[in-house]
Amino acid sequence: MAKRIESLKIIDKQQLTRDIFVLELSGKEKIPEMLPGQFVEVRVEGSPDTFLRRPFSVHDINYGQNTFKLLIQIAGKGTEKLSRLNKGEYLNLIYPLGNSFSIPSGAQKILLIGGGCGVAPLLFLGKYLKANGHNPDVLLGFRNSERIIEYDEYLKLGRVFLTTEDGSSGEKGFVTDHQVLKAAGYDRIYCCGPEPMMKAVASYSRENKIDCEVSLENLMGCGIGVCLCCIVPTVRGNLCTCTDGPVFNIKDLKW
Ligand SMILES: Cc1cc2nc3c(=O)[nH]c(=O)nc-3n(C[C@H](O)[C@H](O)[C@H](O)COP(=O)(O)OP(=O)(O)OC[C@H]3O[C@@H](n4cnc5c(N)ncnc54)[C@H](O)[C@@H]3O)c2cc1C
Ligand code: FES
């Protein structure tokens, strides 16, 4: 898939919580076909101490309207600067980058598990799975009810289960504590979120012999396989998260 460097116009901005927002982008050119799990590298303009581009997953795509969305959580200087952008301003991207989640060819019972802003790539994935004849369930985990994002969007995909760490919404605890994991018998799990959560989901999947793919959010420099700062040790040797990933089957990871 050819990569582009392009400045895209922010045609909408939605503030989901105090520190999480969604930017909807559109360009003059037709946006390329992208796959769920792929990401973009964003240039943070006018910010000399954040000269490296920042990676964000493709959150949602509307080919009909020639737009796609990024869901961004403020984590430091770069994302704080991005949070000050408004409708009508431009964002320079290198995209689409990385591999994608694999889509099963036959019928499978599928669960998407997302934690915090790790829900970002799963909306696009869920819609893609639906368009390809699957009916995924979704399990979302947040710290508390005030941190819940995109719940209604995920409801459009099908059943949505919820956990919060303080029990203020859904079941109390972590995603791996949810009752649905005790009962449902899934064939396949896709997961994105904080690393401890993905490791817990990986260990649950191993114990229950469930095929599982995770999307890693390792630190990145170049995003195109040059700087080697995103290396992840796997059973196939050291791989680049940016070009060999960010999606990995847990069978390959040394977790
Ligand atoms: C493939 C991929 C997809 C991602 N998708 C999303 C997404 O959809 N939404 C979202 O909110 N975040 C996403 N992230 C994480 C996001 O890239 C970082 O939060 C962001 O780069 C932080 O930049 P900063 O300048 O604000 O933070 P910094 O001031 O640079 O650092 C603050 C914190 O962010 C971490 N961080 C810094 N740079 C990176 C980096 N290049 N990659 C990963 N972590 C970093 C640091 O470890 C530190 O803990 C993704 C990361 C990767 C690798
Ligand atoms: S980020 Fe540079 S090699 Fe992956």
Side-chain angles (χ1 to χ4, degrees):
M1 204 178 281
K3 296 173 196 19
R4 298 181 181 185
I5 304 182
E6 201 173 2
S7 285
L8 297 169
K9 190 172 185 177
I10 301 169
I11 59 154
D12 196 24
K13 180 182 181 182
Q14 221 190 325
Q15 197 70 40
L16 301 185
T17 65
R18 189 180 40 79
D19 61 346
I20 301 181
F21 55 98
V22 172
L23 298 179
E24 184 167 12
L25 308 171
S26 185
K28 287 199 188 100
E29 306 287 316
K30 193 167 177 289
I31 58 170
E33 207 164 296
M34 295 186 261
L35 293 169
Q38 290 194 296
F39 66 98
V40 306
E41 282 269 78
V42 173
R43 193 167 71 199
V44 185
E45 307 284 359
S47 181
D49 47 355
T50 53
F51 65 93
L52 290 174
R53 288 173 180 262
R54 298 308 198 237
F56 300 100
S57 307
V58 178
H59 176 50
D60 198 7
I61 298 198
N62 186 331
Y63 290 112
Q65 293 183 0
N66 202 42
T67 65
F68 67 97
K69 293 181 183 176
L70 305 178
L71 181 153
I72 300 176
Q73 176 163 34
I74 299 176
K77 281 185 186 164
T79 43
E80 201 280 323
K81 184 104 186 158
L82 294 176
S83 75
R84 285 189 250 143
L85 289 169
N86 284 311
K87 212 167 140 175
E89 293 186 87
Y90 285 81
L91 208 54
N92 186 276
L93 309 185
I94 303 180
Y95 77 113
L97 298 171
N99 68 354
S100 58
F101 292 101
S102 59
I103 307 298
S105 47
Q108 287 205 344
K109 199 157 183 207
I110 296 173
L111 181 65
L112 313 186
I113 304 183
C117 74
V119 303
L122 301 183
L123 186 63
F124 179 23
L125 172 63
K127 289 186 176 180
Y128 194 90
L129 285 165
K130 281 211 94 155
N132 284 277
H134 299 283
N135 283 304
D137 288 343
V138 180
L139 171 57
L140 303 176
F142 300 97
R143 238 178 278 153
N144 56 51
S145 56
E146 283 168 17
R147 309 289 300 168
I148 296 172
I149 47 170
E150 302 285 69
Y151 183 76
D152 292 342
E153 288 298 316
Y154 286 94
L155 266 185
K156 293 177 195 161
L157 298 175
R159 295 198 300 172
V160 182
F161 306 98
L162 192 62
T163 61
T164 50
E165 288 173 33
D166 66 356
S168 48
S169 269
E171 288 190 15
K172 183 174 180 179
F174 296 115
V175 285
T176 40
D177 299 323
H178 199 284
Q179 289 300 318
V180 74
L181 292 187
K182 298 190 174 62
Y186 289 101
D187 301 306
R188 179 178 282 249
I189 289 177
Y190 300 99
C191 179
C192 186
E195 193 168 295
M197 187 199 99
M198 292 197 285
K199 284 187 168 165
V201 169
S203 114
Y204 164 84
S205 302
R206 277 203 188 93
E207 278 161 25
N208 292 279
K209 301 189 171 35
I210 300 170
D211 204 7
C212 176
E213 289 180 355
V214 294
S215 181
L216 301 187
E217 294 199 348
N218 288 21
L219 275 177
M220 287 190 183
C222 67
I224 51 169
V226 177
C227 70
L228 303 186
C229 79
C230 65
I231 290 294
V232 55
T234 75
V235 295
R236 295 184 279 131
N238 286 338
L239 297 178
C240 283
T241 306
C242 64
T243 48
D244 301 301
V247 179
F248 290 90
N249 193 297
I250 58 161
K251 282 188 282 192
D252 289 337
L253 294 174
K254 290 184 168 174
W255 280 2

